[in-house]
């Protein structure tokens, strides 16, 4: 046979080769004789011999040397067997892959979040995820932003939603939303309920804040805002959890920063009162953080993809909460 014989062009072989012939050949290659292979295939011996002849005609090579007492693969037969086994394995895996695509998603997702993250994007993603995959489980762990990112880097958390300082080159970041912080006081505070306040009225009053409210940390803009408001240097309470900062503000321990959209309900309910400044409030970005290299189960990947899609589909103006 000449190598340029069009009868044996690769495209023709790929087009005309019958998968059943390859499946039969795998059994032939692993058997001791055509009779043995026919028995395993539950076919008659002439049918198996005919199938072998057809395959040899398709590939243009003798695949098995047979004679009385002798049965062995040729070099071409050994090569084809190696390839056919791979193809056979891929076909057999198809049923598993297809079943996995239709079975319920049952994986577990562990999310590390900073306490002061509130966004409809998160809630809507969780709602849709649970609706579509009710058998998947979820754990949301509240941590400081730095610890949340460390959990993702250590591959102990599926992903994080938090504030970001320095970027780890091994992680992926996507801005989820932007929030604006204002200063608030609670009912016991002498400034509560006053509508004629100016920044000068805050001078000397004590304050409460977040642990990361420092010039060298992620809440630096809030530090600057407090300084410009001339609040006293004394910080009477700190916490890494928004709920506890809020508790201290409501309890009258001092003036403190909170995201405007998070404090809105408490303002309406008479639990918080906003104090100056009212304009040019500091923006703080909250990020979705994940490791691209970490192996994810189906539930993790589905929820992560859902969050990324929500970010991509929503203009930043609609993800900025003033």
């Amino acid at each position: 046979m000449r190598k340029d014989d069009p009868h044996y062009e690769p495209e023709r072989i790929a087009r005309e080769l019958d998968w059943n012939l390859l499946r039969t050949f795998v059994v032939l290659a692993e058997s001791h004789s055509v009779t043995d292979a026919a028995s395993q295939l539950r076919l008659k011996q002439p049918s198996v011999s005919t199938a072998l002849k057809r395959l040899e005609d398709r590939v243009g090579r003798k695949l098995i040397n047979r004679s009385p007492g002798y049965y062995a693969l040729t070099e071409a037969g050994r090569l084809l067997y190696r390839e056919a086994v791979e193809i056979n394995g891929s076909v057999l895996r198809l049923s598993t892959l297809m079943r996995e695509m239709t079975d319920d998603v049952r994986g577990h997702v562990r999310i590390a979040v900073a306490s002061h993250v509130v966004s409809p994007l998160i809630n809507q993603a969780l709602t849709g995820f649970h609706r579509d995959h009710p058998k998947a489980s979820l754990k949301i762990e509240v941590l400081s932003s730095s610890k949340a990112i460390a959990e993702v880097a250590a591959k102990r958390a599926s992903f994080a939603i938090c504030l970001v300082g320095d970027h780890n080159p091994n992680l992926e970041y996507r801005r989820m939303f932007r929030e604006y912080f204002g200063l608030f006081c609670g009912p016991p505070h002498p400034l509560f309920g006053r509508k004629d306040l100016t920044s000068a009225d805050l001078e000397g009053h004590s304050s409460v804040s977040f642990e990361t409210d420092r010039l060298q940390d992620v809440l630096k803009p809030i530090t600057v805002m407090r300084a410009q408001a001339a609040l006293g240097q004394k910080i009477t309470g700190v916490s890494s959890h928004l709920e506890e900062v809020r508790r201290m503000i409501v309890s009258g321990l001092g003036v403190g920063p909170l995201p405007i959209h998070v404090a809105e309900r408490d303002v309406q309910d008479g639990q918080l009162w906003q104090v100056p400044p009212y304009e040019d409030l500091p923006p703080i970005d909250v990020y979705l953080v994940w490791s691209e290299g970490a192996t994810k189960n189906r539930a993790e990947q589905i929820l992560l993809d859902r969050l990324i899609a929500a970010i991509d589909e929503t203009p930043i103006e609609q993800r900025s909460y003033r």
Side-chain angles (χ1 to χ4, degrees), residues 44-157:
K44 294 181 178 180
Q45 181 175 333
S47 298
V48 176
S49 296
T50 300
L52 175 60
K53 181 64 167 62
R54 288 176 56 202
L55 181 59
E56 290 177 331
D57 288 343
R58 290 287 188 273
V59 301
R61 292 289 191 275
K62 189 171 181 62
L63 301 174
I64 300 178
N65 285 321
R66 293 181 291 160
S67 61
Y70 185 77
Y71 182 90
L73 294 177
T74 63
E75 183 179 352
R78 290 193 295 271
L79 175 61
L80 182 60
Y81 171 69
R82 289 198 299 269
E83 296 300 322
V85 166
E86 288 295 319
I87 297 170
N88 185 51
S90 297
V91 173
L92 291 175
R93 284 194 295 270
L94 281 177
S95 61
T96 301
L97 293 173
M98 293 301 101
R99 184 174 64 251
E100 194 171 283
M101 291 300 294
T102 57
D103 282 348
D104 294 327
V105 175
R106 301 173 180 268
H108 181 70
V109 184
R110 179 172 177 256
I111 309 173
V113 301
S115 70
H116 43 297
V117 294
V118 176
S119 169
L121 263 67
I122 302 172
N123 300 345
Q124 292 163 9
L126 293 178
T127 297
F129 176 75
H130 178 66
R131 179 193 64 231
D132 297 340
H133 311 289
K135 294 185 179 179
S137 59
L138 188 72
K139 179 178 181 180
I140 299 177
E141 192 165 0
V142 179
L143 302 168
S144 66
S145 291
S146 59
K147 289 182 179 178
I149 292 175
E151 289 297 292
V152 175
K155 300 180 180 178
R156 289 189 292 264

Side-chain angles (χ1 to χ4, degrees), residues 7 10 28 59 73 83 144 149-150 152 161 168 181 233 254 259 284:
H7 185 70
L28 278 164
V59 301
L73 294 177
E83 296 300 322
S144 66
I149 292 175
V152 175
I161 302 173
N168 183 331
F181 276 71
Q233 294 298 313
I284 301 294

Side-chain angles (χ1 to χ4, degrees), residues 178-205:
R178 171 169 287 178
E179 58 188 5
Y180 290 80
F181 276 71
L183 294 176
F184 298 85
C185 65
H189 199 277
L191 299 180
F192 188 88
R194 290 181 51 181
K195 298 182 179 180
D196 56 348
L197 294 173
T198 67
S199 294
D201 293 311
L202 273 67
E203 185 173 356
H205 283 282

